[in-house]
Each structure stands twice: as C-alpha cells, then as structure tokens.
Amino acid sequence: MIVANRKPFEEIIEMLKPYSKILLLGCNECVTVCATGGSKEVAVLASEIRLYRQKEGKPVEIGEVTLERNCDPEYVESLKPFIHDYEVVLSMACGCGIQFVGEHYRDRLVLPAVNTTFYGVTEEHGVWTERCQGCGNCILHKTLGICPVTRCAKSIFNGPCGGSQGGKCEVDRDIPCAWHLIVDRYRELNMMDKYLEIQPMKDWSTSRDGGPRKRVREDLKI
Amino acid sequence: MRLSYPTNVKIIKVPCTGRVDITHVLKAFEDGADGVYLVGCLEGDCHYLVGNIRAKKRVEYLKHILDECGVGGERVAMYNMSSAEGQRFAEVAREMTEKIRTLGPNPAKKEK
C-alpha cells in the first residue's frame, strides 16, 4: 500500500487561512489502511479544524467525503454535483489522488493534508514499514525476496557495505542491514554460491531517472 | 451511600470504555463540553480484556489533538475504578470539575 503521514496541524491551518468552506476529502484505499486519510481520520481532522477555527473566532464549514478511490476517474467524477459548493478541497488521499482530483476540477484548488511517504506493509498493528521503491526493474529473485534498492540506505547491489555492524545499518541502529538479511537468507536456503555472483550496474532508466512512467494496455482501452 | 457529586457532570453510558472513540469526545467538545473524562474498570479487570487499555491510549492521543487545536489536552482525562468505588467516583467528579473550573470554559464553545 501507499503509506502517508498527516501533515503537521499548523501547516494545514496555514494553508486553510483564506477559506471558510472546505471540502475535506478522504480515500478508502491505502491511506485508510495506514490510518492516515480514511473516513475516520477525515472526521478527526474536520473536528480539529472546526474547533481551532471556532476558537479563533473564524468558524468554518467543512464537508466530509471519503471516495472509494481518488485515483480512478469514475469515483473522482462523483464529486461533480457538490465540489463547487466549497471554496477549496483539502485532500487526505496520497499524492496521486490529490493531483488527480485537481486535474479533474481545474477551477478548484486541491491542498494536501498528508505527506505521501512510501510503499509499505503493516508490520504490526499501528506500524508500517517500507518495502518497495517502484524502481521498475525488480531483482527480488536475485536477492531472495529482500529489496536492497529500498531497504539498503545506499541501494547497493553487492553488499553489505562497511557500515553494516551486527546486522544493523550505520544510518540508524534500529534499521536492519538489508544485505545482512539477504546473506542470512542465502545461508538459510543453502545458496551461498549465488551470493558470490557479482551483480552488474543497474539500469535506473526504468526508475524515476527515466522521467514519469506510464503503463498502457491497449486491449483494455475503451 | 447517598453520595453527592457536582450536577454539571453529565454521564454517558457505554458498554466499555473501549467503545469510546476519539470522534465521540471531539464531538462533545464541538458541542460545547468544557471537559471530558472517561471512567473505566481497573486495569487488568476489563470484561473485554483490554478495552480500558485501549481507551487510555485514545485519551493520550486525544490530549495531543486537543493541544494542537488549542482547546487544551488537560481537558480530557482517564480514571480507573471498580463499580464498588462509589466514594471514589464522587471524589473524581469533584476533582475533575474543580480542574475544569480552573481552566475556564472551552475556548471553542459556540456562542448561543
């Protein structure tokens, strides 16, 4: 899932200063699962903003809507009947959703209420960690299911580096060294001979270095 | 026991403090409450195992939210007592009322 963090309250309040009719938009997908921007978080933030503005003597009207998805036109279009009742949209969806709603309603500003952070997993209830960077050329078969692009601070392909100590990364002693995990896995599966193979330089053009990416399936186009 | 406690305390019954959601408490503040406190069973005595522990964590989170929006986190509190502690219940009601009275009215209260 895409994991996001809510922006600091002061930053949100500052963005909303000129407005008194706000549509607070949530998303039922990833940001609901990572407890950042689902209907529950929309209700809490709406309440918080109302309380703050009431205290400041500048009351605000907030519409609370959570779409099934903010990254699909069929759901984004459902905002059409009422989006113009509001001066501005404050979105708790990920960066994709924020932009996509803005593209559909060019006469309305869509402000971000979250910082979109990473592609991750729920490690335990209330804890999410990063697993993928969407580099566009997966090598998990070579590293036995542990991604060095994401989980190694240097994204190195022939590790570990000299900063790995006791299985931990030098960047932060709480971060496991990805290459330590990979070597453990090679050992577990009795595949140490594979570990000794030198990995060539990675072609990063499939990643962000090649500009924004696009996927097309002609058979699905209507 | 014929104990008395301040009349301004309004009781909202829930099956367990674990039922209390952050949005319920925020709504109380939006509707003009000056303070909200949760009274749960003693820790370790929850009939639903951890309802009161969850409520305690939610109260901590609420304090943070209320501090952020300027209402003040000290306006929420969590107390634990058994249903046989009527004396303590009345004592806490007085304690909380006095605390809130010192803090003054909810700054986000709507004018009627």
Side-chain angles (χ1 to χ4, degrees):
Chain A
M1 87 193 87
I2 296 175
V3 179
N5 284 321
R6 205 189 81 179
K7 277 185 175 291
F9 189 65
E10 308 80 63
E11 196 180 339
I12 295 173
I13 282 299
E14 189 58 34
M15 281 191 277
L16 295 177
K17 233 177 192 170
Y19 309 105
S20 56
K21 277 189 102 180
I22 299 155
L23 176 62
L24 185 49
L25 191 57
C27 182
N28 251 339
E29 293 283 345
C30 314
V31 287
T32 292
V33 184
C34 70
T36 303
S39 53
K40 174 80 171 286
E41 291 74 28
V42 164
V44 172
L45 181 60
S47 222
E48 211 178 330
I49 296 168
R50 276 193 297 262
L51 283 168
Y52 177 85
R53 292 284 292 258
Q54 187 65 39
K55 182 183 81 74
E56 296 295 297
K58 293 170 190 151
V60 68
E61 188 188 324
I62 302 180
E64 300 170 35
V65 175
T66 301
L67 295 181
E68 202 51 44
R69 278 197 288 281
N70 279 242
C71 52
D72 237 333
E74 62 181 295
Y75 299 111
V76 172
E77 274 157 23
S78 68
L79 296 172
K80 211 172 192 173
F82 54 86
I83 192 168
H84 293 101
D85 296 343
Y86 300 92
E87 296 165 342
V88 74
V89 179
L90 177 66
S91 174
M92 300 195 87
C94 72
C96 309
I98 297 166
Q99 292 182 60
F100 208 47
V101 171
E103 285 166 31
H104 272 75
Y105 303 98
R106 298 188 63 83
D107 55 353
R108 279 294 170 275
L109 203 55
V110 184
L111 308 171
V114 304
N115 291 323
T116 306
T117 317
F118 57 81
Y119 305 152
V121 296
T122 308
E123 210 161 85
E124 59 178 281
H125 210 78
V127 179
W128 297 273
T129 51
E130 188 168 14
R131 286 292 185 279
C132 180
Q133 284 199 359
C135 74
N137 187 7
C138 191
I139 47 118
L140 284 171
H141 56 298
K142 291 183 179 171
T143 55
L144 309 185
I146 296 149
C147 175
V149 175
T150 315
R151 299 179 70 183
C152 167
K154 293 175 177 169
S155 295
I156 55 173
F157 276 70
N158 295 283
C161 74
S164 172
Q165 269 184 23
K168 301 290 178 190
C169 176
E170 67 181 336
V171 166
D172 185 330
R173 290 288 165 212
D174 289 332
I175 300 174
C177 165
W179 273 100
H180 192 101
L181 297 175
I182 295 168
V183 173
D184 282 350
R185 196 89 181 100
Y186 275 118
R187 275 210 193 95
E188 270 169 27
L189 299 174
N190 217 10
M191 290 169 74
M192 279 304 276
D193 52 323
K194 286 266 180 203
Y195 168 56
L196 296 174
E197 284 172 20
I198 303 291
Q199 298 302 321
M201 274 198 298
K202 183 174 166 67
D203 174 7
W204 289 101
S205 65
T206 55
S207 185
R208 279 283 308 132
D209 304 46
R213 291 159 283 178
K214 187 176 186 173
R215 173 174 133 86
V216 180
R217 253 188 72 175
E218 289 295 342
D219 60 316
L220 290 179
K221 284 173 117 181
I222 300 168
Chain B
M1 289 171 100
R2 298 189 180 278
L3 296 166
S4 64
Y5 61 89
T7 50
N8 55 283
V9 176
K10 302 278 174 277
I11 296 180
I12 297 171
K13 294 181 194 169
V14 284
C16 169
T17 45
R19 176 65 188 90
V20 180
D21 191 75
I22 289 168
T23 51
H24 298 148
V25 181
L26 287 174
K27 185 166 184 344
F29 281 106
E30 281 200 65
D31 288 347
D34 298 316
V36 176
Y37 67 102
L38 269 61
V39 180
C41 298
L42 292 167
E43 288 189 13
D45 271 356
C46 178
H47 293 239
Y48 305 100
L49 305 177
V50 289
N52 50 2
I53 308 286
R54 289 198 177 129
K56 184 179 160 187
K57 287 184 186 170
R58 287 176 199 153
V59 167
E60 284 311 307
Y61 186 58
L62 261 164
K63 281 179 183 288
H64 161 73
I65 290 176
L66 291 170
D67 275 336
E68 266 187 343
C69 65
V71 171
E74 64 277 29
R75 292 180 183 274
V76 278
M78 168 101 198
Y79 291 94
N80 297 86
M81 65 193 75
S82 89
S83 53
E85 288 181 291
Q87 189 83 42
R88 173 87 183 122
F89 182 87
E91 196 181 294
V92 160
R94 283 193 291 270
E95 185 183 303
M96 193 67 188
T97 305
E98 272 165 39
K99 186 177 157 189
I100 299 300
R101 200 157 277 155
T102 323
L103 290 169
N106 170 359
K109 195 177 286 199
K110 287 175 198 158
E111 281 171 28
K112 283 182 184 167

